[in-house]
Amino acid sequence: MEVIIQPTAADAGLLAARMIAALVRSKPTAVLGLATGGSPVSLYRELIRMHLEEDLDFSQVTTFNLDEYLGLGPAHPASYFNFMWTHLFRYINVRPERVHLPDGLASDIPACCADYEAAIRNAGGIDLQLLGIGSDGHIGFNEPVSSFSSRTRIKTLTPRTRADNAPFFGPGEEIPQHVITMGIGTIMEAREVILLGFGASKADALAAAIEGPVAQLVPASILQFHPKTHVLMDEAAAQKLQRAEYYRHVFANKPPWQRV
Ligand code: PGA
């Protein structure tokens, strides 16, 4: 696991965007696993800038999002479908038929989840998975005690996650109880992972995930077993790490060939 502490969330977003751009330039048919929420917004803005100003080409890229709220259709303002088109897809040249999100209106949920897993497999697997982290340590919507070998399936959100995500909903609007999310087993098969965590509210979850024991109670801690994970955070999110000085030292002394 590579732990990278940047002065601000915007700095970390720029760095993560450069990592994704390097992959897309070296493998134009890359399969990207994408995330929603506040954490990836500045990263998406930078990818849009690179597309507009530096010819970063998404025409052959395939995307799979982590999750979607059950009961929200694509037109719902708080759906993750809408989030992705609002914050990224409409500004880049990704082909709509290569964009995948779980269907929030699926009538046969197990079949929808099995189809999603099959689509990821048929695309050749995910080259790079982007993740946020919940204040409870979740990745995707895999809440604490999710199985480490879980696949795409329905999950029930914790009250804390629903409260954390309330700002994305209108006043008085009901926040769904249920979601479809890639499983932890699905996420762990991605060849590379970038996890973003910003702000003091993520400090405990990041410290537990990076330096604590691997435990179902902290779903992100399974990434300690992933062969190529980069965790990017700002100073506020890094304040509970015991080895922050070491991570800074490692990043400052990265060999030139490893830099993006
Ligand atoms: P956030 O959410 O990016 O909005 O902080 C991350 C998550 O809950 O996974």
Side-chain angles (χ1 to χ4, degrees), residues 36-40 132-134 138 140 165 168 202:
T36 51
S39 306
I133 183 167
H138 72 214
N165 288 356
F168 294 98
K202 303 295 172 72

Side-chain angles (χ1 to χ4, degrees), residues 2 5 8 30 35 37 96-97 110 120 177 180 184 197 213 245 249 258:
E2 180 185 31
I5 303 165
T8 67
E97 65 273 21
I120 294 172
Q177 298 274 7
I180 293 178
I184 296 179
E245 282 320 308
H249 173 80
Q258 277 194 333

Side-chain angles (χ1 to χ4, degrees), residues 203-226:
D204 285 323
L206 283 167
I210 295 166
E211 296 177 336
V214 174
Q216 283 194 141
L217 268 179
V218 184
S221 67
I222 192 63
L223 294 168
Q224 293 178 30
F225 280 107
H226 189 276

Side-chain angles (χ1 to χ4, degrees), residues 185-214:
T186 321
I187 292 168
M188 286 295 283
E189 284 174 10
R191 293 176 194 102
E192 187 169 4
V193 169
I194 296 176
L195 183 146
L196 304 174
F198 303 130
S201 66
K202 303 295 172 72
D204 285 323
L206 283 167
I210 295 166
E211 296 177 336
V214 174

Side-chain angles (χ1 to χ4, degrees), residues 42-176:
S42 67
L43 180 168
Y44 291 156
R45 208 175 296 131
E46 177 64 5
L47 288 181
I48 293 164
R49 190 199 64 74
M50 289 170 152
H51 169 66
L52 297 174
E53 296 177 11
E54 297 172 8
D55 293 327
L56 184 60
D57 179 17
F58 293 90
S59 63
Q60 299 178 73
V61 164
T62 298
T63 71
F64 288 92
N65 263 78
L66 283 165
D67 41 22
E68 181 59 283
Y69 290 107
L70 273 170
L72 302 195
H76 192 288
S79 74
Y80 285 163
F81 182 98
N82 184 62
F83 179 100
M84 289 308 300
W85 281 94
T86 301
H87 290 279
L88 180 64
F89 295 152
R90 76 162 65 161
Y91 301 106
I92 62 174
N93 63 337
V94 70
R95 298 224 181 112
E97 65 273 21
R98 294 218 169 114
V99 162
H100 304 84
L101 287 97
D103 178 3
L105 298 179
S107 51
D108 184 341
I109 292 166
C112 165
C113 296
D115 289 350
Y116 206 67
E117 289 281 332
I120 294 172
R121 268 196 311 279
N122 292 340
I126 292 171
D127 290 304
L128 189 152
Q129 178 67 55
L130 188 62
L131 298 173
I133 183 167
S135 59
D136 62 2
H138 72 214
I139 48 176
F141 271 137
N142 295 283
E143 298 284 33
V145 304
S146 289
S147 163
F148 284 157
S149 52
S150 52
R151 312 303 305 192
T152 302
R153 70 212 183 291
I154 186 173
K155 287 293 286 183
T156 306
L157 298 179
T158 62
R160 181 174 179 179
T161 296
R162 291 176 77 228
D164 284 349
N165 288 356
F168 294 98
F169 288 78
E173 209 171 353
E174 183 66 11
I175 303 162

